[in-house]
């Protein structure tokens, strides 16, 4: 008799990435429009703040679409670790946002 695998599907990791990516887009937009920060991503640095926000929100929408596909039900470790890694990177980026965020309210 085998024990069923108790790994969680990817949905919670995708949801977290959607939220973190959206927050990053909104906070980056606020920081760029107020002149507090500069865009650190060289691929996005040449775009206007509103364009960066649009790209981020579009990517979040694309990730949201993944929730309704069979991909979200995959139980392979490689995808789970990929999403955990992406979420960890976004958490660090949001940590950087928390550094300058109080400047908005001064």
């Amino acid at each position: 008799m085998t024990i069923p695998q108790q790994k969680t599907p990817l949905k919670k990791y995708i949801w977290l990435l959607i939220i973190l990516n959206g927050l990053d887009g909104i906070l980056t937009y606020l920081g760029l429009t107020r002149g507090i920060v500069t865009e650190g991503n060289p691929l996005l640095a040449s775009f206007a703040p509103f364009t960066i926000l649009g790209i981020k929100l579009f990517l979040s929408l694309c990730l949201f679409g993944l929730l309704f596909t069979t991909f979200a039900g995959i139980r392979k470790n490689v995808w789970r670790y990929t999403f955990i890694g992406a979420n960890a990177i976004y958490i660090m980026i949001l940590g950087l946002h928390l550094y300058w965020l109080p400047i908005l309210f001064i």
Side-chain angles (χ1 to χ4, degrees):
M1 187 156 71
T2 61
I3 300 172
Q5 292 183 353
Q6 297 297 325
K7 297 175 190 166
T8 58
L10 297 176
K11 283 191 176 188
K12 67 181 180 181
Y13 302 114
I14 295 172
W15 268 114
L16 182 58
L17 192 59
I18 291 167
I19 293 166
L20 293 174
N21 185 50
L23 278 173
D24 176 46
I26 292 167
L27 292 175
T28 300
Y29 175 77
L30 290 173
L32 289 172
T33 55
R34 305 271 189 317
I36 297 171
V37 297
T38 58
E39 176 59 51
N41 183 342
L43 296 174
L44 296 176
S46 63
F47 293 113
F50 189 72
T51 305
I52 294 172
L53 177 63
I55 291 169
K56 291 286 191 172
L57 294 179
F58 177 73
L59 290 175
S60 288
L61 185 64
C62 290
L63 285 168
F64 182 74
L66 277 180
L67 293 172
F68 301 102
T69 65
T70 57
F71 180 79
I74 291 176
R75 296 181 182 267
K76 296 197 179 207
N77 281 336
V78 66
W79 288 110
R80 189 167 57 106
Y81 293 141
T82 299
F83 277 99
I84 289 171
N87 286 330
I89 290 169
Y90 266 105
I91 288 170
M92 288 186 269
I93 290 170
L94 287 176
L96 291 173
H97 287 305
L98 290 176
Y99 176 76
W100 61 260
L101 194 59
I103 297 171
L104 282 176
F105 303 107
I106 295 177

